[in-house]
Amino acid sequence: MSYELTIEPLGQTIEIEDGQTILDAALRAGIYLPHACCHGLCATCKVQVVDGEVEHGQASSFALMDFERDEQKCLACCATAQSDLVIEADIEDDPDAENLPVRDFDGVVTRIETLTPTIKGVWIKLDEPAGIRFQAGQYVNLELPDGIGSRAFSIASAPSQAGDIELNIRIVPGGQGTGYVHERMKVGERTRVSGPYGRFFVKKSARVPVIFMAGGSGLSSPRSMILDLLGEGFELPITLVYGQRTREELYYHEEFLALAEAHPNFRYVPALSHEPEASDWRGFRGFVHEAAKSAFDNDFRGHKAYLCGPPLMIDACISTLMQGRLFERDIYTEKFLSAADAQQVRSPLFKAI
């Protein structure tokens, strides 16, 4: 059984299957609805039901309050159709968005590499020769066996390598999904990914210099974006400020040094916050926001900044950028969240994308 779903103000009507969420139906039709946690916890995907009936599913009573349900609002990430529907959503037109439909892709794990003591690189060759079409900075949901379900991971490779994608996966203590990847996943096993997801990509039409600030496995999206920009001949200045605790955790360090050597417009600023004083590290010692402040002499005017990493790092970077006279409208953060992340307090200062 299926129903018709009309999305205003677009006036576009698509099909929604029985049991399929409003968000999934829209994304698979190439229509972007604002969303974040995908667990019914953050309220980013709240929409107005103009006509029809929905089942609210696992929507949190804090994200969707009783009076809002009475006003015919719902969370698109967990609401399903009980009849033909008309909804009204807050949809922004973005000239840089390709609005690619979400699809399922089968593939095989061809390589697993230990990038750091806590991060694995996983390469998946997709069965479809053309691979997955995505914008650098987007992510996929990786299906895991044994009832684990799917987990979201940013694509670390460039869109030009769409048939053989790379994921960088940090193990989360006690995490069932990342635990499987680190301890049980094998080369040669079959898997499935769905995507692309996310609204995190370079605003190329702005034609201004860009700053990437990343920490931990948050390097995935910036790496994809940088490889994409350099590959297409982007000529404006590109800066990557990347932080880890120690040298052994600073993965792809040599690659970025080589890229900086080969491309005069690319600057790489690595920073280590807990490297032993006795080591031979000659780079910046401190946190990402401190390294950026030093590298730009606390003046970020005329740039667009893209931030990926732990919430505390992002908060510190946002404060530093704004103190350095960069407007909030020019600061973007990756915004897909796990169920655990969605319950943490997030900074209200970042640009939602």
Side-chain angles (χ1 to χ4, degrees):
M1 180 184 295
S2 64
Y3 303 102
E4 287 189 343
L5 168 64
T6 301
I7 302 173
E8 299 292 358
L10 300 178
Q12 188 168 343
T13 299
I14 62 174
E15 189 174 275
I16 180 170
E17 299 292 335
D18 186 35
Q20 183 181 27
T21 67
I22 292 172
L23 179 61
D24 187 63
L27 294 178
R28 288 181 181 274
I31 300 171
Y32 179 81
L33 297 182
H35 62 281
C37 77
C38 295
H39 299 286
L41 298 169
C42 73
T44 304
C45 65
K46 192 177 297 178
V47 298
Q48 177 72 52
V49 179
V50 178
D51 189 38
E53 299 294 328
V54 299
E55 167 59 47
H56 289 288
Q58 299 298 313
S60 161
S61 59
F62 295 99
L64 186 69
M65 304 184 79
D66 289 341
F67 77 88
E68 292 177 306
R69 297 172 195 243
D70 293 339
E71 293 173 350
Q72 301 302 306
K73 291 183 171 63
C74 72
L75 300 185
C77 74
C78 51
T80 55
Q82 303 295 295
S83 68
D84 290 344
L85 289 177
V86 179
I87 66 167
E88 186 173 341
D90 184 15
I91 300 174
E92 290 185 9
D93 183 34
D94 189 325
D96 293 291
E98 294 183 19
N99 294 320
L100 302 169
V102 169
R103 297 177 52 205
D104 298 318
F105 298 86
D106 292 314
V108 61
V109 177
T110 58
R111 180 180 164 198
I112 301 174
E113 181 179 331
T114 298
L115 300 176
T116 79
T118 60
I119 299 174
K120 294 278 191 185
V122 176
W123 282 258
I124 301 172
K125 184 174 181 59
L126 304 179
D127 294 349
E128 190 168 320
I132 177 174
R133 187 180 170 196
F134 68 96
Q135 288 186 264
Q138 291 189 295
Y139 68 94
V140 295
N141 281 335
L142 173 66
E143 292 291 334
L144 298 171
D146 303 331
I148 296 173
S150 65
R151 298 292 187 272
F153 299 110
S154 295
I155 303 173
S157 45
S160 59
Q161 298 173 298
D164 194 0
I165 61 172
E166 176 187 350
L167 309 177
N168 297 161
I169 300 174
R170 179 181 65 86
I171 191 166
V172 176
Q176 191 177 19
T178 59
Y180 174 85
V181 171
H182 277 250
E183 299 163 11
R184 297 164 54 196
M185 179 173 277
K186 304 294 183 185
V187 170
E189 74 175 71
R190 302 287 303 173
T191 189
R192 171 176 288 187
V193 300
S194 62
Y197 293 100
R199 206 69 164 177
F200 189 62
F201 43 78
V202 175
K203 310 297 180 180
K204 297 177 182 178
S205 63
R207 299 297 302 169
V208 297
V210 294
I211 306 168
F212 296 100
M213 302 169 74
S217 59
L219 181 64
S220 298
S221 290
R223 179 174 183 261
S224 178
M225 296 157 110
I226 289 167
L227 292 175
D228 183 49
L229 288 173
L230 294 178
E232 67 178 23
F234 189 83
E235 296 179 349
L236 294 170
I238 303 168
T239 302
L240 168 64
V241 185
Y242 174 47
Q244 281 279 26
R245 290 173 57 84
T246 63
R247 176 64 184 87
E248 67 174 349
E249 297 173 318
L250 197 70
Y251 72 106
Y252 284 131
H253 178 62
E254 301 299 330
E255 175 184 81
F256 288 121
L257 288 175
L259 287 172
E261 183 71 23
H263 299 274
N265 64 318
F266 175 59
R267 177 168 58 156
Y268 171 48
V269 183
L272 300 180
S273 60
H274 292 74
E275 178 70 1
E277 289 295 333
S279 77
D280 60 356
W281 175 251
R282 295 185 179 180
F284 190 89
R285 290 177 180 268
F287 294 100
V288 171
H289 65 285
E290 296 169 334
K293 183 175 181 178
S294 174
F296 284 86
D297 196 25
N298 199 32
D299 188 349
F300 302 99
R301 287 175 295 178
H303 291 77
K304 285 193 178 292
Y306 302 87
L307 318 183
C308 300
L312 288 177
M313 186 215 87
I314 287 179
D315 287 345
C317 288
I318 290 170
S319 296
T320 295
L321 289 167
M322 295 183 74
Q323 289 167 11
R325 290 176 284 185
L326 190 65
F327 290 110
E328 177 268 343
R329 65 172 179 264
D330 295 318
I331 302 172
Y332 304 88
T333 75
E334 191 163 42
K335 205 183 175 206
F336 75 82
L337 309 173
S338 69
D341 289 337
Q343 298 177 75
Q344 296 178 10
V345 175
R346 307 281 294 181
S347 169
L349 299 177
F350 62 78
K351 176 75 171 178
I353 50 181

